[in-house]
Amino acid sequence: MVAQLLDEDPELALEHARAARQRAGRIAVVRETNGVAAYHAGEWAEALSELRTARRMSGGAGLLAVMADCERGLGRPERAIELGRSDEARLLKGDEATELRIVVAGARMDLGQYDQAVVSLQTAELDPAKTGSASARLFYAYAEALLAAGRAAESLTWFMNAASADTEGETDAEDRAADLAEGGSGKSEWTGAVADGTESDEDDESDWTAAVNDGTEDDEDADAEDDEDDFVEEDDFDDEDDDSDEVSDADASTDESATADEAEKSDSAEPVAESGEASTADTEAGDKAEDGDSKK
């Protein structure tokens, strides 16, 4: 069911694949099917995750070209190039190796490395005498890379080769060749120049807008920092007041304690004095009594 819906309704195919995954998530082919369906539906992260899981479960290189293309879809062309250099990539042969080269060339073009993209596609499989889906796709990708590198005449030739190899009509190579043939290399170069100029103007304007925004944001950040500094200073000031109040309170409590101690000492001293006076009186009374007895 999933395979039948991939071209007609990839989103519905993905729903069926997800349902199968929920029922049999430990089967490698089920996870791989879910990954392929997600890839066709443009769900790059899910596709990459499922294909990685399927490769761990079953071993081998898996759908390495699809995984590399998912990396491109996620905006990570460098990782796609790394996959093209991996040990698993060296084990690929035939159409699988060709598909990976096409993806890696696309990643090079994403990075603006057009000449390197051209070189990466120059293999023994680049034979104009060959036909079939894989050859047509390879010729088409090579023509795209040549056109991006500014080699319009060679690009026209390979678009025509791609159209001849595309017996199933999978690409629009024939239309691309017709467009280039009508305009020639001059039209292609002129269109690219206008596009570059327009992009430069837009970039300049966007840079200017970004600079203005950055300036505004910097002012806002500076204001925020000033407010924060004021807030910190106020807090410090309040803390100092609190500290001084605490010191005053401590001093006051110390004075009170000292006063209380003195009062206690004076209170304790009076009984001592009284007891001393009483002892003296008793002594004098005893002496008088002794004198009286002696007289008698």
Side-chain angles (χ1 to χ4, degrees):
M1 178 63 70
V2 175
Q4 296 175 356
L5 293 172
L6 279 179
D7 295 331
E8 298 177 0
D9 194 343
E11 294 181 356
L12 182 59
L14 179 57
E15 292 180 5
H16 283 283
R18 286 171 176 170
R21 177 184 177 277
Q22 292 177 353
R23 295 182 177 87
R26 295 185 178 182
I27 300 176
V29 67
V30 173
R31 305 298 292 268
E32 183 175 283
T33 302
N34 189 14
V36 172
Y39 171 76
H40 282 272
E43 298 292 339
W44 314 119
E46 180 181 356
L48 186 59
S49 175
E50 291 298 302
L51 292 175
R52 283 175 176 171
T53 302
R55 187 173 68 166
R56 286 195 299 268
M57 295 171 68
S58 62
L63 298 177
L64 203 60
V66 179
M67 294 173 62
D69 209 22
C70 289
E71 294 286 8
R72 287 186 62 202
L74 291 171
R76 302 185 299 220
E78 297 88 352
R79 294 191 180 183
I81 296 173
E82 290 177 2
L83 284 175
R85 296 171 176 170
S86 63
D87 295 334
E88 293 88 348
R90 297 186 181 93
L91 300 176
L92 298 178
K93 297 180 180 179
D95 293 348
E96 291 182 349
T98 298
E99 289 295 334
L100 183 57
R101 289 192 189 96
I102 293 172
V103 174
V104 171
R108 294 285 188 188
M109 294 176 66
D110 293 341
L111 296 172
Q113 301 172 358
Y114 305 121
D115 292 331
Q116 290 176 305
V118 171
V119 173
S120 65
L121 294 172
Q122 293 175 345
T123 63
E125 300 297 324
L126 200 65
D127 184 359
K130 292 185 176 183
T131 59
S133 176
S135 295
R137 289 171 55 80
L138 176 61
F139 300 164
Y140 190 96
Y142 189 57
E144 284 278 13
L146 287 168
L147 186 61
R151 299 159 63 175
E154 296 175 73
S155 175
L156 173 60
T157 300
W158 282 100
F159 272 128
M160 294 175 63
N161 291 336
S164 299
D166 190 6
T167 56
E168 299 179 3
E170 294 181 0
T171 68
D172 63 344
E174 187 174 354
D175 295 335
R176 297 293 300 276
D179 291 339
L180 281 175
E182 289 177 1
S185 59
K187 180 179 179 181
S188 298
E189 293 174 0
W190 180 83
T191 303
V194 170
D196 291 340
T198 304
E199 291 175 356
S200 298
D201 293 340
E202 292 176 352
D203 291 340
D204 292 341
E205 184 177 357
S206 61
D207 293 340
W208 179 83
T209 304
V212 173
N213 292 334
D214 290 341
T216 305
E217 292 175 356
D218 292 339
D219 292 340
E220 293 176 353
D221 293 338
D223 294 339
E225 292 178 357
D226 292 340
D227 294 340
E228 184 176 357
D229 293 339
D230 294 339
F231 178 74
V232 172
E233 290 176 358
E234 290 177 359
D235 286 344
D236 294 339
F237 182 75
D238 293 338
D239 292 339
E240 292 176 358
D241 290 342
D242 294 338
D243 293 339
S244 61
D245 293 339
E246 291 177 358
V247 172
S248 300
D249 294 338
D251 294 339
S253 60
T254 303
D255 295 339
E256 292 177 358
S257 300
T259 304
D261 292 339
E262 292 176 357
E264 290 177 358
K265 289 179 180 179
S266 57
D267 292 339
S268 60
E270 292 176 357
V272 171
E274 292 175 356
S275 60
E277 294 175 355
S279 299
T280 303
D282 293 338
T283 302
E284 292 177 353
D287 293 339
K288 290 178 179 180
E290 290 178 357
D291 294 337
D293 292 338
S294 59
K295 291 179 180 180
K296 289 180 181 181

